[in-house]
């Protein structure tokens, strides 16, 4: 679904972003831009991937955090900084603070992935685990700031943060001067706002498209209302864009400069992450894959050349495992089904022979013998299969039917 955006004047200008770019020289990497033949064929025009997943700390967040902390007065630096995050912002603040010699404390949810907690500590921050959800963690960080005088570093709702993220837009124009559309994921809005400031100032003809997960899409209702509004219980696997309310500062920019905001499903996010891994050999987190999901969902809607911003690659291995399986299922590459067998020696071997003939790879087999719906001589078998696509799924099911099995979904 797409939502047009129009709106009032905003507080950030191109010079702010250019100043941030100078500040980040030697700190943030000039991340590569990779072409995607698959997406280019789908869109009918060149598609390039801006690989911020290869940035230091694994996401674009270092840019804004470094610019924000660099701008602190000496007495503010002496008091230290504090942030709240489940991952990317935490690591960006930790590294930026270490590079600038500033003490940092980062509050993270109790259930934050262990690799992200360890990385944040390794970058030099004191990590405090508090709360079950980010809102509780955020409240704890703000209370800490009030009690200690530490400066709270917001993940997106500050002009310096947005200026730092906007340097991605300057790099896009330098690396792909022929670009006609930039597609970027939106959570609170800092990255999309910064890119829009840079791109629209230099190339007003370039279209900027924001992407949100359907279950955490606070911008569409906000744009309809003409002001930031909150949504209840945002839910998505893309925790990097799982934000319940737009930031006031990025909202004003996005309302004026971003051409439209689109939403994508969880299935599309899974498929996009799988595509990045298999076709581009890039590890991308669900939030970072959201622009690719938008291109896969409606390729005809984008004028090329297109640049899709892969905003981050920090994905927990356990989540990656679940997402890949979900993405394979969404793409017809994974088939789960149940059927009943006679409970006698050799029955399972015969079934596996049928699947082998159908060229299906068996990933897992489960047996159920205690269901009251089963006969005394029956056993129910649950199968998880790797397949080659939707057509192959149909062929496998037909092979089972032809062999006399009754498939239960």
């Amino acid at each position: 679904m797409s939502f047009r955006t129009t709106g009032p004047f905003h507080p950030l200008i191109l010079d702010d972003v250019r100043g941030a770019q100078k500040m980040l020289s030697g700190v943030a990497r000039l991340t590569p831009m990779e072409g995607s033949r698959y997406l280019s064929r789908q869109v009918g025009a060149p598609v390039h991937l801006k690989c911020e997943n290869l940035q230091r700390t694994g996401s674009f967040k270092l840019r804004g955090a470094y610019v924000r902390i660099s701008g602190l007065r000496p007495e503010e630096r002496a008091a230290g900084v504090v942030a709240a995050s489940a991952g990317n912002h935490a690591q960006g603040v930790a590294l930026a603070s270490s590079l600038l010699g500033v003490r940092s404390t980062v509050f993270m949810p109790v259930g934050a992935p262990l690799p992200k907690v360890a990385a944040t500590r390794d970058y030099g921050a004191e990590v405090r685990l508090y709360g079950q959800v980010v809102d509780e963690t955020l409240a704890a960080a703000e209370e800490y700031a009030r009690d200690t005088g530490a400066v709270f570093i917001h993940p997106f709702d500050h002009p310096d943060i947005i200026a730092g993220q906007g340097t991605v837009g300057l790099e896009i124009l330098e690396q792909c001067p022929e670009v006609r559309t930039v597609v970027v994921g939106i959570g609170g809005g800092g990255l999309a706002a910064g890119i829009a400031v840079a791109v629209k100032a230099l190339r007003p003809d370039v279209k900027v498209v924001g992407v949100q997960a359907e279950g955490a899409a606070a911008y569409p209702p906000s744009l309809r209302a003409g002001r930031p509004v909150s949504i209840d219980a945002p839910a998505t696997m893309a925790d990097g864009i799982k934000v319940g309310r737009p930031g006031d500062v990025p909202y004003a920019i996005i309302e004026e400069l971003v051409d439209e905001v689109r939403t994508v499903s969880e299935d599309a996010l899974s498929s996009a992450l799988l595509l990045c891994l298999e076709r581009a050999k890039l590890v991308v987190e669900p939030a970072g894959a959201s622009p690719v999901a938008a291109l896969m969902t409606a390729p005809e809607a984008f004028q090329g050349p297109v640049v899709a911003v892969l905003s981050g690659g920090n994905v927990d291995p356990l989540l990656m495992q679940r997402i890949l399986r979900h993405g394979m299922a969404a793409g017809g590459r994974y088939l789960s089904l149940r059927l009943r067998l006679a409970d006698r020696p050799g029955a399972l071997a015969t079934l596996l022979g049928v699947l082998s003939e159908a060229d299906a790879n068996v990933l897992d087999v489960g047996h159920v013998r205690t269901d009251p719906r089963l006969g005394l001589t029956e056993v129910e078998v649950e199968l998880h299969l790797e397949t080659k696509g939707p057509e192959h799924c149909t062929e496998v099911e037909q092979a089972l039917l032809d062999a006399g099995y009754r498939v239960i979904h």
Side-chain angles (χ1 to χ4, degrees), residues 385-406:
L385 311 173
E386 182 182 2
T387 55
K388 300 175 182 178
E391 292 183 2
H392 189 214
C393 287
T394 302
E395 292 171 3
V396 170
E397 290 199 38
Q398 188 59 52
L400 291 170
L401 293 173
D402 291 345
Y405 296 103
R406 183 167 66 92

Side-chain angles (χ1 to χ4, degrees), residues 89-396:
H89 181 58
Q91 294 173 67
V93 168
L95 179 56
S97 299
S98 294
L99 293 173
L100 292 165
V102 177
R103 184 179 70 258
S104 64
T105 302
V106 176
F107 285 76
M108 303 182 76
V110 172
L114 293 179
K116 294 185 178 182
V117 174
T120 304
R121 286 194 174 116
D122 288 345
Y123 287 128
E126 177 191 347
V127 174
R128 299 192 179 192
L129 300 178
Y130 186 89
Q132 299 299 319
V133 295
V134 174
D135 285 345
E136 294 174 353
T137 308
L138 180 64
E142 291 174 332
E143 181 179 0
Y144 177 89
R146 289 191 297 269
D147 292 344
T148 66
V151 178
F152 179 67
I153 306 299
H154 199 283
F156 51 81
D157 204 11
H158 192 281
D160 290 348
I161 294 286
I162 296 170
Q165 322 304 28
T167 59
V168 176
L170 295 180
E171 292 178 12
I172 288 172
L173 296 182
E174 292 164 2
Q175 293 172 296
C176 185
E178 69 277 15
V179 63
R180 296 304 301 263
T181 305
V182 176
V183 190
V184 56
I186 297 181
L191 178 61
I195 288 175
V197 169
V199 169
K200 290 294 188 177
L202 294 170
R203 288 281 307 279
D205 60 303
V206 173
K207 189 174 183 180
V208 179
V209 178
V211 183
Q212 293 206 286
E214 288 177 355
Y219 266 87
S222 296
L223 293 167
R224 288 193 292 266
R227 57 181 175 79
V229 298
S230 299
I231 59 172
D232 293 330
T236 175
M237 71 177 75
D239 58 354
I241 54 175
K242 186 179 176 181
V243 178
R245 183 187 184 279
D248 292 332
V249 180
Y251 173 83
I253 297 170
I254 288 171
E255 187 180 38
E256 179 181 353
L257 296 182
V258 171
D259 295 279
E260 62 176 317
V261 175
R262 307 182 73 88
T263 59
V264 293
S265 68
E266 298 296 287
D267 282 351
L269 288 169
S270 296
S271 297
L273 187 148
L274 187 61
L275 175 77
C276 289
L277 187 63
E278 287 192 325
R279 300 296 182 96
K281 312 307 177 191
L282 292 168
V283 176
V284 182
E285 62 191 87
S290 59
V292 174
L295 293 172
M296 294 173 67
T297 300
E300 73 288 346
F302 300 90
Q303 182 180 7
V306 177
V307 173
V309 181
L310 307 183
S311 58
N314 292 319
V315 56
D316 179 60
L318 294 177
L319 177 61
M320 171 71 87
Q321 186 179 36
R322 294 197 299 270
I323 291 172
L324 289 179
R325 182 164 289 191
H326 185 83
M328 290 175 68
R333 302 268 307 282
Y334 185 81
L335 178 63
S336 296
L337 48 83
R338 292 178 295 121
L339 43 83
R340 292 178 183 176
L341 303 178
D343 192 8
R344 63 171 181 263
L348 180 59
T350 301
L351 170 62
L352 296 179
V354 173
L355 294 172
S356 178
E357 287 293 324
D359 204 20
N361 183 32
V362 180
L363 300 176
D364 192 27
V365 179
H367 288 77
V368 176
R369 287 187 168 89
T370 57
D371 193 314
R373 293 172 297 179
L374 294 173
L376 289 175
T377 60
E378 285 184 318
V379 60
E380 188 171 277
V381 176
E382 183 176 0
L383 296 165
H384 300 282
L385 311 173
E386 182 182 2
T387 55
K388 300 175 182 178
E391 292 183 2
H392 189 214
C393 287
T394 302
E395 292 171 3
V396 170

Side-chain angles (χ1 to χ4, degrees), residues 4-73:
R4 301 293 302 178
T5 64
T6 58
F9 179 73
H10 60 82
L12 213 65
I13 61 174
L14 177 62
D15 284 347
D16 297 316
V17 182
R18 283 180 165 157
Q21 188 176 45
K22 292 178 181 178
M23 194 177 296
L24 288 166
S25 177
V27 176
R29 292 174 180 154
L30 173 62
T31 52
M33 190 172 288
E34 302 287 344
S36 171
R37 285 181 293 179
Y38 176 84
L39 291 173
S40 296
R41 288 197 301 270
Q42 298 297 309
V43 173
V47 174
H48 306 280
L49 307 175
K50 175 61 171 168
C51 300
E52 280 297 289
N53 60 310
L54 302 179
Q55 183 57 261
R56 296 177 71 176
T57 75
S59 87
F60 69 96
K61 289 288 190 177
L62 171 66
R63 296 174 184 263
Y66 189 89
V67 173
R68 174 75 173 99
I69 298 170
S70 293
L72 297 179
R73 300 187 302 273

